[in-house]
Amino acid sequence: MSGYWIGIITILAINIVFAYGIFLAVATGQLNLGGAGFQAIGAYSAAWLSAEMGMPLYVTIPASILVTGLIGFAFAFPILRLKGVYLVLGTFAFAEVVVGIIINSDALGGAMGLPVPDYIDWPVPVAGAVVAALICFYIMSTRLGLVVRAVHDDDVVSDLMGVDVRMVRVAMFALGAGLAGLSGGLYAHAYTYVEVQTFNSALSIYVLLYVLLGGAQTPWGPMVGAAFFTLVPELLRNLLPQMKVAVMSVFGVEGAVTPPDESWRFVLLGVVTVLMMVFRSEGLVTRQLVERLSHPFRRRSSNATQKEAEA
Amino acid sequence: MSTVPLLSVENLSISFGGLKVIDDVSFTLEQGGRLALIGPNGAGKTTIFNLLSGVYRQDAGHVRLGGQLIDTVPSRQRIGFGMARSFQNIRLMPHLGVVENVMLGQHSRADRPGGLLAPLSFLGRSKARAEAEALLAEMGIEVMPGQDVSTLPYGIRKKIELVRALAARPRLLLLDEPAAGLNGAETEELMAFLDRISASGVTLLVVEHDMGLVRSLCTRAVVLNFGRKIYDGPTAEVQRDPLVLEAYLGPRHSDKSEASDVA
Amino acid sequence: MLLVQQIVNGLMVGSVYVTVAVAFTLTISILNFLNFTIPTLFMVAGMVGWGLAYFGLPFGLSGPLAWPLALAVGGLASVLCSLLVERFTFRYMRTRHGDSTEHAIPLVSSLGFLLILENLIRIFYGSDSQRFPGPSSDLTAQIGGIFVRIPQLVSFAIVMLLILGLVWMMKSTRIGRGLRAIAENPDAASILGVEPNRIVPVVFMLTGLLCGLAGALFAVNYGEVSPQMGEDIGSKAIAGMVVGGLGSLWGAVAGGIIVGLVEMLTIHFFGADAVQVAVWGALLVTLLMRPQGLFGHNAIGKGKL
């Protein structure tokens, strides 16, 4: 496999793990716009243990999950009293504070970053993505998953049904933080360098968009979202210059055309986001879509029942 | 039969912003009884339900369930005491399937099928799913199990909400306007449905506007007006009570012997 | 004396934060909508203003004093962008699902617009910081040993006047009353004859105006604009809004000034690297300890949040 594809598979796997981390919070109806903060905690705990303590991989990667999960748990208890925009702001502020602390910490290399001695090849992040996906699919298929979706839909009624809404939210938020931490640990070892500038607010925004545009109703959504928004920009990297050449040739310009700015890809991501919110705000993959695809023959009969019921 | 009433409400009061919405209301409900809670709009019927289920906390007074004081029991745990409710506007989970909504009703039961981390539909049907499907079939609801509730007609959703409450195996069922928005045939069907539930030993407390339904379903009625109890007695005599007539029709009409259009 | 100087600086810096914080507060209190395009609108005003002043105005209007006109057009661009955002976010907010993340829909759209606008500006003007050819920002007055930069003092005055006007508008005009009705209960408001689709654009127009003004003031005061200028100001304005109290105009004013002071004092005592932690930390502590903020009241967005 070429280095180009190895790079893409690695970042895709890391993004999938990251998206699942945010998905678990979003699945309970909590928008987590602090993803970059949690990924940074995971990345720096793995990097620090590896660089300063000389710990091996099988310690640093689990440590990145554990440290981030515990911090997420401690943070979730007070912050999940907040709802709606307050919660979004709170998680966003958390990420900014984390990054701010790292910049000011000499032990973590400050603005310079930390080199990570141990390198991992692409199979490790891919294994991480598979594990994260299995965990999420499993949880969502259990009674806990049912309760998670109920809390997302209506927290007042869930409470009256005997669901401990706060515990469900805190548990999912913390577990999600752990997965975001894992994505950070994988990132640190895959790129053998961590730099605080990587974990900026734009990253938090992107990962939330992966989840929401992919669809937060089923665990398929984050995977599809992360894959779509990691792979499509790569396709556009080749496609956009060709399109520009084509457009230019319509206006009679021949020969060498300077390739378009990288920013065009983000403009397109923005346009897709706005259009998705207008036309399909529940995301690409919905529960009904999964249901329909997994039971292709049920659909007709269910329509028949509905007609009978209405008649 | 025990002598302790299943539900006993003692001097319940709550105010919102200085306004007494429920003012010193007391009543009891026997095991297996069927009590209607009626009154003009804004009389505080739904507020009583919200106090009973713990959505609001009362300013004064007590609620006992099976003799046990439940004033300090958080709303989440009250269903575990055997009290389930339906809502005035159907509040089913829009993104859960029909069967999944009913399975949510099982959640509070100590003897619920399947643990917290047991898969609910992995490799065929699990016990929890099978039980929910059986309950739906028993109540005569035939829909595709995975169907989204939001696509179903109103009357069926109303029934599913009832089945969800039943899945908790309650002793006491609080029904907030069960017949609202139903047509004649659907109301008939609902009556038969509630009769069966009551026959199985579940106690019913019903908020309802349809006096016909109230008379044929419930033996006793409590009437509220401006948060106060103004009548507590047999449903047959409600429409002859002067205070009740005054509440519904204003003081000028209170001399009329019977008003058939009450509520 | 140095400390007093820092406090005065903080007040002056705060006036830009105040303007943007008020823009955030308007959309949150009236529409329950956290509009992430606001910092971008601020940036658009500054960058478009710079572009026009640098590359020349159309119709041969360019001259040494073209910069005020350029900034005015920049502000106009910000208003137009804001209305565009309204067309694609809030019009569709009346959503069908009724679950707990539905408030996220306009928020996510605004994140989309943030990406679009910021990257379009980068494509047209590049990512570098640019010097704004305005009046010298070094004009200072000395009052009792304290140095005050004249443009900053003028900005401060303009901002305060503007906010007084805004408060008057919300209280005493028909539009203001309609906006407050929508803030309290959108359903009841439409029964009372307030048409959301006609009055909601007013909020976005005001937002665009405030951001346009803030962008222009920033360009003149700092003499420098860049496609990134919104991020920093946006974060401080959000912090100011939360600290002052979500949903209260005067709270946003006080919060913006407090954040300006916190920034200057943090630089004074701990250095510039600590500002991020101090500002966002203040926001986080406020959210955890007193979510309604210093001057906010609980009522805003009750039931909707």
Side-chain angles (χ1 to χ4, degrees):
Chain A
M1 213 161 24
S2 76
Y4 174 73
W5 279 105
I6 286 175
I8 288 182
I9 285 175
T10 306
I11 193 66
L12 174 62
I14 290 171
N15 281 344
I16 288 176
V17 177
F18 195 12
Y20 274 122
I22 303 307
F23 164 75
L24 286 181
V26 175
T28 64
Q30 313 291 295
L31 289 195
N32 182 351
L33 199 48
F38 292 107
Q39 197 181 42
I41 293 173
Y44 271 87
S45 16
W48 187 78
L49 285 173
S50 178
E52 307 284 324
M53 299 281 125
M55 296 282 183
L57 271 172
Y58 58 82
V59 175
T60 58
I61 299 275
S64 68
I65 304 174
L66 209 64
V67 171
T68 320
L70 285 176
I71 292 179
F73 185 73
F75 175 68
F77 254 104
I79 202 75
L80 290 187
R81 279 189 316 186
L82 307 175
K83 284 182 169 185
V85 277
Y86 287 85
L87 179 76
V88 175
L89 284 175
T91 52
F92 195 66
F94 171 80
E96 297 288 332
V97 169
V98 167
V99 168
I101 289 174
I102 292 173
I103 288 181
N104 285 286
S105 159
D106 292 333
L108 296 177
M112 301 290 292
L114 275 182
V116 185
D118 279 330
Y119 169 73
I120 51 174
D121 211 351
W122 64 273
V124 184
V126 168
V130 171
V131 169
L134 286 178
I135 290 174
C136 290
F137 271 98
Y138 179 73
I139 288 178
M140 294 310 278
S141 80
T142 63
R143 179 175 291 280
L144 179 62
L146 179 74
V147 165
V148 163
R149 287 162 53 205
V151 167
H152 172 276
D153 279 2
D154 192 332
D155 48 0
V156 175
V157 173
S158 299
D159 174 77
L160 291 175
M161 289 289 144
V163 175
D164 192 337
V165 173
R166 184 112 187 269
M167 266 326 292
V168 168
R169 286 188 166 155
V170 168
M172 288 299 114
F173 192 94
L175 196 57
L179 285 183
L182 170 62
S183 76
L186 294 171
Y187 179 93
H189 287 291
Y191 289 84
T192 62
Y193 202 83
V194 286
E195 230 181 344
V196 74
Q197 289 82 353
T198 323
F199 308 103
N200 52 22
S201 52
L203 184 66
S204 299
I205 294 175
Y206 295 148
V207 71
L208 185 65
L209 289 183
Y210 296 163
V211 175
L212 290 175
L213 300 187
Q217 289 180 7
T218 68
W220 291 104
M223 195 190 287
V224 170
F228 190 82
F229 290 104
T230 311
L231 298 180
V232 170
E234 290 305 323
L235 290 176
L236 291 177
R237 196 193 290 277
N238 298 321
L239 204 62
L240 275 180
Q242 285 167 16
M243 275 166 63
K244 187 169 177 181
V245 170
V247 171
M248 292 305 237
S249 72
V250 170
F251 290 102
V253 179
E254 296 293 339
V257 175
T258 49
D261 197 295
E262 286 224 313
S263 305
W264 278 111
R265 282 189 279 151
F266 294 106
V267 174
L268 281 177
L269 175 62
V271 170
V272 170
T273 305
V274 171
L275 290 179
M276 281 286 290
M277 286 301 116
V278 171
F279 294 110
R280 198 179 168 87
S281 57
E282 55 283 57
L284 280 173
V285 185
T286 60
R287 196 189 72 89
Q288 268 175 310
L289 182 71
V290 173
E291 189 83 20
R292 207 173 289 166
L293 291 177
S294 52
H295 304 287
F297 301 109
R298 261 192 195 170
R299 193 178 158 207
R300 210 189 301 152
S301 57
S302 91
N303 274 355
T305 333
Q306 194 184 330
K307 266 189 205 119
E308 268 166 40
E310 275 167 1
Chain B
M1 278 285 272
S2 80
T3 48
V4 183
L6 178 65
L7 175 71
S8 119
V9 173
E10 298 159 12
N11 312 99
L12 211 56
S13 295
I14 189 171
S15 334
F16 293 126
L19 189 74
K20 274 222 159 178
V21 179
I22 296 296
D23 190 359
D24 202 29
V25 170
S26 305
F27 62 88
T28 59
L29 177 53
E30 302 303 321
Q31 173 80 47
R34 306 163 167 204
L35 176 66
L37 197 58
I38 54 182
N41 278 327
K45 300 164 302 220
T46 299
T47 310
I48 292 256
F49 269 27
N50 283 335
L51 284 167
L52 292 180
S53 52
V55 177
Y56 305 144
R57 195 55 58 87
Q58 65 263 36
D59 298 335
H62 304 287
V63 178
R64 278 176 217 278
L65 200 64
Q68 220 172 338
L69 202 61
I70 59 165
D71 293 348
T72 55
V73 175
S75 51
R76 164 168 62 85
Q77 288 164 13
R78 291 194 184 193
I79 193 169
F81 279 73
M83 176 166 58
R85 69 174 284 187
S86 71
F87 298 85
Q88 200 171 347
N89 312 308
I90 302 175
R91 287 183 79 166
L92 289 168
M93 306 304 181
H95 302 312
L96 259 54
V98 173
V99 177
E100 287 170 330
N101 263 290
V102 176
M103 279 153 71
L104 185 65
Q106 306 165 345
H107 186 78
S108 62
R109 275 162 48 196
D111 65 332
R112 69 178 177 218
L116 197 63
L117 286 174
L120 289 171
S121 60
F122 201 54
L123 299 179
R125 287 172 186 169
S126 73
K127 267 163 101 180
R129 185 170 287 270
E131 190 194 296
E133 281 175 0
L135 191 61
L136 279 164
E138 196 184 318
M139 293 300 158
I141 300 169
E142 281 172 40
V143 283
M144 292 316 296
Q147 187 156 8
D148 255 30
V149 285
S150 50
T151 58
L152 292 169
Y154 186 83
I156 294 192
R157 279 188 287 151
K158 202 106 195 175
K159 270 205 223 167
I160 294 170
E161 205 193 29
L162 264 174
V163 175
R164 180 177 70 180
L166 286 178
R169 302 235 174 103
R171 290 187 282 172
L172 173 63
L173 195 53
L174 310 180
L175 302 171
D176 201 345
E177 301 199 15
L182 299 187
N183 61 31
E186 284 171 331
T187 309
E188 292 275 308
E189 216 180 316
L190 175 82
M191 289 290 303
F193 198 76
L194 291 179
D195 270 333
R196 260 157 62 204
I197 294 171
S198 176
S200 70
V202 178
T203 310
L204 300 180
L205 178 58
V206 187
V207 163
E208 186 50 65
H209 276 301
D210 184 337
M211 278 308 284
L213 194 142
V214 166
R215 261 176 304 188
S216 55
L217 182 67
C218 300
T219 44
R220 222 181 96 215
V222 165
V223 185
L224 295 177
N225 193 28
F226 295 115
R228 280 205 200 87
K229 187 170 88 168
I230 56 169
Y231 177 88
D232 187 345
T235 35
E237 281 151 42
V238 157
Q239 280 149 306
R240 284 195 290 276
D241 188 88
L243 273 174
V244 174
L245 288 173
E246 196 180 307
Y248 273 98
L249 305 168
R252 276 173 301 149
H253 299 272
S254 55
D255 52 346
K256 283 189 185 172
S257 60
E258 180 148 5
S260 55
D261 59 340
V262 162
Chain C
M1 194 48 95
L2 197 59
L3 192 63
V4 180
Q5 177 70 56
Q6 292 291 11
I7 290 175
V8 171
N9 289 352
L11 279 176
M12 296 297 136
V13 177
S15 68
V16 174
Y17 304 160
V18 163
T19 323
V20 181
V22 166
F24 269 114
T25 297
L26 270 182
T27 40
I28 284 201
S29 61
I30 297 172
L31 307 175
N32 189 26
F33 168 30
L34 178 57
N35 186 350
F36 270 101
T37 45
I38 284 173
T40 319
L41 297 175
F42 164 83
M43 181 273 292
V44 164
M47 284 304 284
V48 169
W50 167 80
L52 290 172
Y54 185 81
F55 293 114
L57 288 166
F59 313 116
L61 282 171
S62 296
L65 278 180
W67 60 269
L69 201 59
L71 282 180
V73 178
L76 193 69
S78 152
V79 173
L80 288 177
C81 289
S82 187
L83 288 174
L84 188 76
V85 172
E86 190 269 342
R87 190 69 191 79
F88 285 98
T89 58
F90 212 77
R91 284 285 159 95
Y92 296 94
M93 198 178 171
R94 262 155 268 278
T95 38
R96 299 70 46 172
H97 349 239
D99 60 45
S100 53
T101 41
E102 70 179 11
H103 68 270
I105 293 165
L107 190 151
V108 173
S109 286
S110 79
L111 289 174
F113 271 107
L114 182 154
L115 291 177
I116 297 173
L117 293 175
E118 189 167 320
N119 285 293
L120 281 180
I121 290 286
R122 274 181 218 277
I123 287 165
F124 284 105
Y125 293 141
S127 306
D128 302 326
S129 287
Q130 307 288 354
R131 262 205 66 70
F132 188 79
S136 166
S137 58
D138 297 334
L139 290 167
T140 49
Q142 196 177 359
I143 308 162
I146 304 295
F147 291 94
V148 180
R149 282 163 39 193
I150 302 287
Q152 287 199 336
L153 196 63
V154 173
S155 308
F156 191 74
I158 292 176
V159 167
M160 289 305 144
L161 275 176
L162 183 87
I163 287 161
L164 275 176
L166 201 63
V167 169
W168 173 81
M169 194 204 93
M170 290 298 284
K171 256 202 184 115
S172 313
T173 65
R174 228 179 98 86
I175 292 175
R177 279 193 295 270
L179 291 177
R180 281 187 297 145
I182 286 186
E184 260 158 45
N185 189 339
D187 301 325
S190 50
I191 295 167
L192 292 172
V194 179
E195 249 184 83
N197 275 349
R198 287 175 71 178
I199 207 155
V200 166
V202 174
V203 181
F204 284 82
M205 235 164 74
L206 288 173
T207 309
L209 265 178
L210 285 165
C211 293
L213 179 82
L217 291 179
F218 183 91
V220 174
N221 273 315
Y222 292 83
E224 196 177 84
V225 291
S226 76
Q228 297 84 31
M229 72 193 227
E231 291 166 19
D232 189 42
I233 301 292
S235 65
K236 280 161 190 159
I238 289 177
M241 168 186 70
V242 172
V243 169
L246 280 183
S248 149
L249 281 185
W250 288 116
V253 174
I257 291 173
I258 290 173
V259 167
L261 289 174
V262 166
E263 180 184 4
M264 285 304 159
L265 294 177
T266 309
I267 292 175
H268 182 75
F269 289 112
F270 303 103
D273 278 343
V275 170
Q276 191 181 6
V277 177
V279 168
W280 286 104
L283 189 159
L284 207 52
V285 168
T286 310
L287 278 179
L288 294 178
M289 313 291 280
R290 196 180 153 80
Q292 73 272 35
L294 293 177
F295 306 98
H297 40 87
N298 261 336
I300 294 297
K302 207 179 183 183
K304 289 182 288 182
L305 281 175

